[in-house]
Amino acid sequence: MSNPLRSVPVRSSEITPKQAYLSRRDFIKAAGVVAGSIALAGCAPKAAESTAAPALDTGPPKTDELGNPANSFEDITNYNNYYEFSTNKEAVAPLSKDFTTAPWTVEVGGLVNKPQTFGVEDLLSLFPQEERIYRLRCVEAWSMVIPWNGFPLASLLKMVEPTSAAKYVRFETIFRPEEMKGQGSPFYPWPYQEGLRIDEAMNDLATLATGMYGETMLPQNGAPIRLVVPWKYGFKSIKSIVKIELTDARPNTLWNTVATNEYGFYANVNPAVDHPRWSQASERRIGELSRRASLPFNGYGEQVASLYDGMDLSLNF
Ligand SMILES: Nc1nc2c(c(=O)[nH]1)N[C@H]1C(S)=C(S)[C@@H](COP(=O)(O)O)O[C@H]1N2
Ligand SMILES: [Mo]
């Protein structure tokens, strides 16, 4: 019988980064079956299971609205900031691979009329999952383009009915030091927390992501559910959320607590304001050779600049 991978001709120009990644995985799996399933079954049953053939995404190559190609699935899942696991970006994927992401609930409460605890499966069935291809600009001056799957944060907030006293939204990551060795570090005030002003949270760009490249989110990217606020530095996009609380006071955030003068509450991407220790004027897009200019609000000014009318943006706090 012929190799099924070869039965459908695909021009290489049609292969998206994810397809390239998946077909490499399938190829490795197919090669394993031919070359020595007995030996492999003994040493790597887990890996064999986890490669269980995801359907190839046959859509056109993914790009953001500016025409930038999405980063590869491999880049997005192997270069991560997730201090609960490691401060080394390449170490996060292997250290988080067995992280328990189910069962999982998100408690939504505080200044709302209808506080409720949702299972992640409830959130997936309540809200249609959309694809949103957004730039992620880390405060460290690297960036990626990521095709998330998720739903607007506003949809969830509307369901619990914030009261008129609610001015901010606070988010909290799970605290589970047995599985997240980084949470043993005394240098950070765990659990990770973040916050948005309520009008920022209601902006359509603010997304709760549950997947990426059409696949269930992997632990290194914040499974099973994480925030994505693409006009702000990446640290605002908090991962593995278990609690969302509406408040009247501005919430503390982990990074603002650690270094107040370096990581503001607003943290809008702003190439005109340097970090105290480096320039924010340009960035390194992962996978590209030369640096590119950073954009005000990470290129999303049309959608969000009006949220800050009258504020002194040079402060970014
Ligand atoms: N809980 C938690 N969320 C987090 C972080 C973290 O260390 N812990 N790192 C942040 C930073 S600095 C960035 S740049 C993004 C990186 O997201 P990615 O690894 O999915 O690209 O996650 C953000 N969310
Ligand atoms: Mo970051």
Side-chain angles (χ1 to χ4, degrees):
M1 220 185 84
S2 69
N3 182 340
L5 284 173
R6 291 191 187 159
S7 61
V8 183
V10 183
R11 275 184 292 129
S12 63
S13 62
E14 290 168 359
I15 296 179
T16 65
K18 181 190 170 200
Q19 286 176 316
Y21 167 76
L22 292 175
S23 33
R24 257 195 316 283
R25 284 207 303 187
D26 283 354
F27 176 77
I28 290 162
K29 196 172 67 166
V33 170
V34 175
S37 53
I38 297 163
L40 282 174
C43 68
K46 193 117 197 268
E49 273 163 39
S50 70
T51 55
L56 287 190
D57 183 340
T58 51
K62 295 183 188 299
T63 59
D64 68 11
E65 82 289 1
L66 303 177
N68 301 298
N71 279 88
S72 69
F73 189 84
E74 270 178 314
D75 282 348
I76 299 167
T77 56
N78 288 288
Y79 189 85
N80 301 101
N81 269 336
Y82 202 165
Y83 278 32
E84 283 85 340
F85 291 102
S86 176
T87 56
N88 171 351
K89 293 183 222 312
E90 274 95 20
V92 173
L95 288 172
S96 64
K97 77 177 183 347
D98 295 325
F99 179 63
T100 310
T101 57
W104 193 283
T105 57
V106 181
E107 184 191 335
V108 190
L111 300 172
V112 300
N113 291 323
K114 298 182 170 167
Q116 198 177 328
T117 297
F118 299 86
V120 167
E121 60 291 346
D122 306 331
L123 297 174
L124 288 168
S125 62
L126 279 169
F127 306 109
Q129 305 294 300
E130 308 166 16
E131 178 178 73
R132 296 177 159 216
I133 305 177
Y134 289 148
R135 296 171 290 286
L136 176 99
R137 172 39 162 98
C138 179
V139 74
E140 299 161 336
W142 55 267
S143 65
M144 293 203 206
V145 177
I146 306 183
W148 303 109
N149 305 99
F151 58 97
L153 171 61
S155 305
L156 176 60
L157 295 180
K158 283 175 194 154
M159 185 163 279
V160 297
E161 297 181 7
T163 70
S164 57
K167 301 281 183 277
Y168 294 92
V169 188
R170 190 179 83 86
F171 303 85
E172 195 176 296
T173 295
I174 196 166
F175 183 68
R176 197 191 276 158
E178 342 56 278
E179 287 196 67
M180 299 171 129
K181 295 300 179 208
Q183 286 180 335
S185 165
F187 298 109
Y188 300 95
W190 309 109
Y192 199 103
Q193 354 173 18
E194 258 306 336
L196 297 172
R197 220 171 52 194
I198 195 159
D199 56 342
E200 298 179 309
M202 290 293 185
N203 186 277
D204 184 61
L205 287 174
T207 302
L208 286 169
T210 55
M212 200 269 293
Y213 263 120
E215 302 279 325
T216 301
M217 189 84 77
L218 291 177
Q220 58 266 45
N221 293 111
I225 184 162
R226 59 93 56 87
L227 181 66
V228 175
V229 274
W231 71 97
K232 294 174 177 286
Y233 290 121
F235 65 85
K236 299 292 293 183
S237 293
I238 181 174
K239 296 177 170 179
S240 304
I241 296 168
V242 288
K243 193 168 179 184
I244 299 178
E245 190 185 2
L246 286 283
T247 65
D248 54 0
R250 196 164 105 173
N252 288 330
T253 71
L254 179 139
W255 282 107
N256 194 238
T257 306
V258 169
T260 309
N261 63 325
E262 300 192 354
Y263 309 105
F265 176 80
Y266 284 97
N268 295 316
V269 174
N270 188 348
V273 177
D274 289 342
H275 184 276
R277 292 182 282 132
W278 58 83
S279 166
Q280 294 292 28
S282 69
E283 67 200 57
R284 181 172 63 93
R285 176 71 43 86
I286 301 304
E288 292 182 354
L289 293 176
S290 45
R291 296 179 73 86
R292 43 166 82 215
S294 291
L295 303 172
F297 299 108
N298 202 22
Y300 301 99
E302 223 170 278
Q303 292 100 306
V304 298
S306 64
L307 292 169
Y308 311 101
D309 280 349
M311 276 179 64
D312 182 353
L313 292 176
S314 70
L315 291 173
N316 222 359
F317 290 97

